[in-house]
Amino acid sequence: MKENRYKKLREDFEFTPNGYRMTADQLATIFKERGYDTLTHSAIRKIETDNRNVSEYELKGYCEVFNTTSDYLLGISNVSTIDKDTVMIGRMTGLSDAAIQTLISCKTGGILADEDFPTIDLLNFILSDKVLFHDFLNYLGLYINNTYDTPCYLDPDKHVYVPVPDDNIRNTPFVVAKNERYIAVGKKQTEKVCGEDAYQTICLPVSLLESHAIRIVQNVIDKWKNKYKKEQE
């Protein structure tokens, strides 16, 4: 779901003591004090649920109160601050201001920073290999949001990957490359190809089952460990 930036600003901005979220009523009061009378509690709620447009004048009010830019509120930029350096970095990289500040903090190290291998040196080392870093991000994205959930095989007649029929799932065809067997897993695309459902696929080595098996073994060992500790109490 697309993030509502007006709501995010209200909830994240440090107007309140101890970091408590600002309520829509509190924000409406601030807007009224600054002359933006149309931004009432009701209007704010509608804006935050995408049920009301924001006028140019009201947009100016949000920018003034939250010290942000119209580019951020309109989704043109991911940077909410008006700090010139951060805005420039955001335009060049597409990073949000929070991400930029996190990267800047790496310069001073972290909780587990190693004097012999500072955090910034580690970051420079990782980012210096573009191919490896992109592979890392691609597979991290796959781990966080896996949409490849359909076993597929290459149809020899259509020359496209199609789902394996449910009644034949045990006989999923393998792809063989470099003496390794692979299983194709796909995610359905929004557009059809030649009138047929299209699937973007990745091929997973069957040997991954060994890694899966060892995780199950570790899980069983942990259960035994917890059971033993409970019995000793």
Side-chain angles (χ1 to χ4, degrees), residues 167-185:
D167 59 358
N168 198 36
I169 197 72
R170 289 183 176 273
N171 298 315
T172 302
F174 293 106
V175 177
V176 180
K178 296 182 179 179
N179 298 321
E180 174 71 276
R181 293 187 300 171
Y182 294 82
I183 297 175
V185 184

Side-chain angles (χ1 to χ4, degrees), residues 90-157:
R91 285 176 178 171
M92 291 175 62
T93 64
L95 294 172
S96 68
D97 45 342
I100 293 168
Q101 292 307 314
T102 298
L103 289 175
I104 291 173
S105 71
C106 291
K107 190 173 182 180
T108 57
I111 297 175
L112 300 178
D114 189 334
E115 291 182 1
D116 297 325
F117 199 4
T119 305
I120 191 64
D121 289 349
L122 175 61
L123 187 61
N124 278 318
F125 173 75
I126 291 172
L127 293 175
S128 65
D129 192 320
K130 184 168 63 176
V131 174
L132 278 180
F133 184 65
H134 283 180
D135 282 346
F136 168 74
L137 290 182
N138 287 338
Y139 283 101
L140 179 61
L142 183 62
Y143 174 75
I144 293 173
N145 183 30
N146 179 25
T147 53
Y148 290 86
D149 55 7
T150 306
C152 295
Y153 72 99
L154 185 61
D155 189 306
D157 298 321

Side-chain angles (χ1 to χ4, degrees), residues 39-52:
L39 290 170
T40 61
H41 171 273
S42 176
I44 292 168
R45 284 301 186 192
K46 289 179 180 179
I47 290 169
E48 292 184 358
T49 53
D50 299 316
N51 289 313
R52 182 184 182 282

